[in-house]
C-alpha cells in the first residue's frame, strides 16, 4: 500500500453484488485505516476517475456501492472478480462512531445515501450495547431501487428500521411515502441528547433536518454528508469549494452547525 495519499494503488476486486440494473457493490482488497463516510478515487487509465464513498468496511476489504451513470462508472461495470483497478485515498473526515456511542441515534438516508452510513449502521448492529436506541429510516424511489436487501432483512434484530418508497407498485412490501413523514412520530426518549445522521439528496436532507429540529433535536447533534461536488479529492481543483470550505477536505461529513452554511 502506498503511503503517499496522492498516488493511486492497484486493488483487486474480490466480490461483486448486484442490487439493481445500475447499482452494484464492488468489494476491493484493502488493508488500511478507513472510516464510514470517507471516500476513494476509483480510476481506470484512459477513462478517468470518480469519487466513490465507502459503503462497507471488512477484514482486509472495503465496499463501494457504485451507480452506473457515466464513462468511468460505466467502465467499472465492465470489470470482473479478479480484475484490478486503481484507488487513491481514503479522503475526507468521515463519521466517527465515538460521536454516537452511549445515546440514542437516528439515521435518515435517502436512496444511495444509505451507502456512506451503512458502515455506521453495521457497527452498531454488531455492537448494540454501545447505543441506547437506534432508529434507521431509509427511503427509495421505488421497490426496484431498494439497496442492501440482505442488510435490511437482518437489521431489525438490533434496531428499529423503517424502509419506505416514494411510489409503491402492486403488492409492495414497503409502505409508500417520504422519509420525513416518519420523523414527527419517532420514539425518542430525550430529544435534547439524541443524535442524528442525515444523508441523501439535498432537498431530502433539508426537510429531514427541519423535521428533526421540529422534533426537538439540537443542531449540534445532527450530522450531514455533502458529496455531490467532489472532484480531485485533495483540495487542489477547487471544484467542491463552497464559501471557505472544501467538501473533500473539510467534509464530506459535517456537523449541521457548519453544514447549514454550505449554500451554493
Amino acid at each position: 500500500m502506498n503511503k503517499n495519499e496522492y498516488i493511486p494503488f492497484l486493488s483487486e476486486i474480490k466480490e461483486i453484488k448486484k442490487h439493481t440494473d445500475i447499482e452494484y457493490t464492488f468489494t476491493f482488497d484493502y488493508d488500511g485505516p478507513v472510516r464510514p463516510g470517507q471516500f476513494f478515487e476509483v480510476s481506470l487509465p484512459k477513462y478517468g476517475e470518480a469519487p466513490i464513498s465507502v459503503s462497507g468496511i471488512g477484514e482486509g476489504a472495503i465496499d463501494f456501492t457504485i451507480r452506473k451513470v457515466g464513462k468511468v462508472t460505466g467502465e467499472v461495470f465492465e470489470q470482473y472478480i479478479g480484475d484490478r483497478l486503481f484507488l487513491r485515498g481514503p479522503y475526507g473526515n468521515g463519521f466517527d462512531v465515538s460521536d454516537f456511542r452511549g445515546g440514542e441515534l437516528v439515521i435518515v438516508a435517502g436512496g444511495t445515501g444509505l451507502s456512506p452510513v451503512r458502515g455506521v449502521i453495521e457497527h452498531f448492529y454488531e455492537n448494540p450495547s454501545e447505543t441506547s436506541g437506534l432508529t434507521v429510516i431509509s427511503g427509495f424511489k421505488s421497490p426496484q431501487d431498494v439497496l442492501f436487501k440482505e442488510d435490511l432483512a437482518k437489521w431489525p434484530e438490533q434496531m428499529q428500521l423503517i424502509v419506505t418508497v416514494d411510489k409503491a407498485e402492486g403488492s409492495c412490501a414497503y409502505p409508500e411515502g417520504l422519509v420525513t413523514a416518519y420523523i414527527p412520530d419517532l420514539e425518542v426518549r430525550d430529544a435534547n441528547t439524541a443524535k442524528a445522521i442525515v444523508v441523501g439528496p439535498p432537498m431530502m436532507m433539508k426537510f429531514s433536518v427541519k423535521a428533526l429540529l421540529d422534533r426537538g433535536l439540537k443542531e449540534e447533534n445532527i450530522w450531514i454528508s455533502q458529496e455531490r461536488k467532489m472532484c480531485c479529492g485533495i483540495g487542489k481543483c477547487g471544484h467542491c469549494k463552497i464559501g471557505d470550505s472544501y467538501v473533500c477536505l473539510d467534509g464530506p461529513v459535517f456537523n449541521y452547525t457548519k453544514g447549514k452554511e454550505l449554500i451554493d
Side-chain angles (χ1 to χ4, degrees), residues 16-78:
I16 301 174
K17 182 175 293 185
K18 178 180 178 180
H19 300 294
T20 72
D21 289 341
I22 61 169
E23 288 155 323
Y24 290 10
T25 291
F26 293 79
T27 300
F28 282 83
D29 179 41
Y30 178 76
D31 187 13
V34 63
R35 293 196 297 188
Q38 288 188 298
F39 68 98
F40 284 73
E41 294 284 350
V42 180
S43 64
L44 296 93
K46 299 190 298 182
Y47 293 95
E49 61 182 6
I52 307 293
S53 295
V54 173
S55 63
I57 302 170
E59 189 69 30
I62 49 174
D63 292 342
F64 298 108
T65 300
I66 300 176
R67 173 178 284 179
K68 185 180 180 181
V69 292
K71 182 172 68 172
V72 178
T73 54
E75 186 61 25
V76 171
F77 271 56
E78 297 299 319

Side-chain angles (χ1 to χ4, degrees), residues 202-221:
M203 293 303 291
M204 169 263 167
M205 289 199 296
K206 175 182 177 180
F207 287 102
S208 294
V209 169
K210 181 181 184 302
L212 289 167
L213 294 174
D214 291 344
R215 183 64 181 78
L217 273 71
K218 296 181 178 180
E219 287 189 354
E220 60 266 30
N221 287 338

Side-chain angles (χ1 to χ4, degrees), residues 130-256:
E130 292 187 5
T131 175
S132 61
L134 173 59
T135 299
V136 176
I137 306 174
S138 186
F140 300 92
K141 287 183 178 180
S142 73
Q144 289 73 37
D145 296 306
V146 175
L147 305 177
F148 310 115
K149 290 182 179 179
E150 292 181 5
D151 294 332
L152 297 178
K154 72 176 185 179
W155 284 345
E157 298 170 2
Q158 301 292 355
M159 66 196 73
Q160 180 185 9
L161 175 67
I162 300 169
V163 181
T164 181
V165 294
D166 295 350
K167 185 177 181 181
E169 301 171 3
S171 57
C172 179
Y174 309 105
E176 185 176 87
L178 301 177
V179 293
T180 50
Y182 296 88
I183 296 176
D185 297 324
L186 282 176
E187 296 180 7
V188 178
R189 289 188 293 275
D190 188 351
N192 287 320
T193 59
K195 297 180 179 180
I197 297 172
V198 181
V199 185
M203 293 303 291
M204 169 263 167
M205 289 199 296
K206 175 182 177 180
F207 287 102
S208 294
V209 169
K210 181 181 184 302
L212 289 167
L213 294 174
D214 291 344
R215 183 64 181 78
L217 273 71
K218 296 181 178 180
E219 287 189 354
E220 60 266 30
N221 287 338
I222 300 174
W223 282 258
I224 63 174
S225 181
Q226 295 274 7
E227 298 186 338
R228 59 193 178 92
K229 282 185 165 291
M230 295 180 294
C231 187
C232 74
I234 53 179
K236 299 300 182 183
C237 70
H239 191 268
C240 70
K241 191 171 188 290
I242 304 177
D244 61 352
S245 297
Y246 289 87
V247 174
C248 66
L249 297 179
D250 304 312
V253 175
F254 293 90
N255 184 270
Y256 184 67

